[in-house]
Every structure is written in C-alpha cells, then in structure tokens.
Amino acid sequence: MSEDLRIRLLADGDWDAVVALEHDAYAADGLSEGREALQSRARSSPGTCFVLEQQGVVRGYLLSLPYPPLRCPDLSRPEDTAYASDNLHVHDLVIAEELRGREVALEFMRHFRARAEELGYGRISMVAVRGADILLRLLGYRAHREVAVPECYGRRAVYMSAPVR
C-alpha cells in the first residue's frame, strides 16, 4: 500500500463518505442499498469493516460480516440477524474511481484476508457483480454456480469463496 493510503476500521464519522462512494459505484446499475442497509451490515461485525483513507479522506471501504456459507444478504432489506459463522462474507468493497487500476483493491483484499486469519475465520465469501468474478478467480476464489444469488444483485452475479489460508 502506498504511503499516502492507510486502512483502518470503519468509524461512525465515515458514513457520509461510505454512502457517497456506494452510490457512485452502484446506483447506475440499480444495486445501491442506501445508508440504513449498509449500516445494518456493519453493525453485525464492526471489527471486520474497514475504510481506505488518503490524507484524511475516505477513498474506499470494505464491509464484511460473519454469514452462513453459500448464502448472502438480500440487498433489498437491512440485516437483522448476526450470525456466528466460520465464514466471513465480504458484502461490499468499493474503491474511489481515481484509485482503480492501481492494485489498491488487491492490497485492500490482502489486508482483509490477513485480518480474517487473525480473527480465526476459515473462509471468505462474496458475491461478484459486473464481471468481478474474473479478478476474484485470480485471487483464488472459486465460483459456486449452484448457489442461487438473489436477483437484486443483477444478472451476472456469482457467489464465490476461498479458504482464508
């Protein structure tokens, strides 16, 4: 990670920036959830939700929560259950557009995987949208096409997972 970028835990004062980044990344595709739903995911597991900061400005975020394997949250409603699971589900990862293509997301995911290992998780899962499954395969994630992903994730959504170690 470059010197001017740092990863830290998500804080209450970060939500305006997180909501703006999420809206910019997903609204055009109809995938934007809004503040209430995003905050409900983070409440489930505040120790596994992070922001990427550049000179004091939030430039990206990653929301994750323990979730049963081969299942994923429904984007159309807030999360109301906190699960005890060996599987840590990356619900959302967004990097500011200006930082994309510079391996920032890869570094963010490496940091996240190391943190998941420290916390004792065995697997990481996520739903790849808009063709992100190609990149995730390169990172060792396996597609689980047998998992029916809710329609709210879009047509090309694919549930994927990888062992933490």
Side-chain angles (χ1 to χ4, degrees):
M1 186 77 45
S2 77
E3 288 178 23
D4 65 332
L5 294 172
R6 78 178 186 111
I7 298 169
R8 64 169 173 77
L9 286 173
L10 175 76
D12 287 341
D14 297 327
W15 281 108
D16 287 345
V18 167
V19 170
L21 284 164
E22 191 263 359
H23 183 269
D24 289 348
Y26 297 121
D29 295 321
L31 300 175
S32 184
E33 297 176 84
R35 183 182 298 260
E36 181 185 355
L38 292 170
Q39 287 178 321
S40 75
R41 318 267 186 240
R43 272 193 304 272
S44 294
S45 187
T48 61
C49 296
F50 304 91
V51 294
L52 176 69
E53 193 175 63
Q54 184 178 41
Q55 299 174 352
V57 177
V58 174
R59 309 286 285 141
Y61 69 91
L62 184 150
L63 302 180
S64 70
L65 63 162
Y67 220 80
L70 306 178
R71 291 184 43 204
C72 58
D74 187 328
L75 299 180
S76 66
R77 60 180 190 264
E79 198 62 43
D80 58 3
T81 304
Y83 295 98
S85 179
D86 174 59
N87 181 64
L88 189 56
H89 185 77
V90 176
H91 178 69
D92 206 0
L93 169 64
V94 173
I95 304 293
E97 192 168 346
E98 311 81 62
L99 296 177
R100 294 179 196 157
R102 296 176 32 197
E103 297 192 13
V104 173
L106 293 174
E107 288 299 318
F108 207 164
M109 286 299 294
R110 285 185 188 114
H111 173 87
F112 173 73
R113 182 175 258 167
R115 183 70 181 134
E117 185 173 3
E118 286 172 17
L119 294 171
Y121 288 95
R123 290 196 82 68
I124 297 173
S125 64
M126 64 184 70
V127 175
V129 297
R130 301 184 304 196
D133 55 307
I134 295 166
L135 173 64
L136 291 173
R137 279 192 198 112
L138 296 173
L139 294 174
Y141 286 80
R142 177 180 163 268
H144 296 274
R145 302 224 181 259
E146 72 277 13
V147 174
V149 175
E151 289 181 26
C152 54
Y153 282 90
R155 286 182 336 161
R156 296 181 7 200
V158 179
Y159 183 94
M160 303 185 80
S161 75
V164 170
R165 294 176 193 85

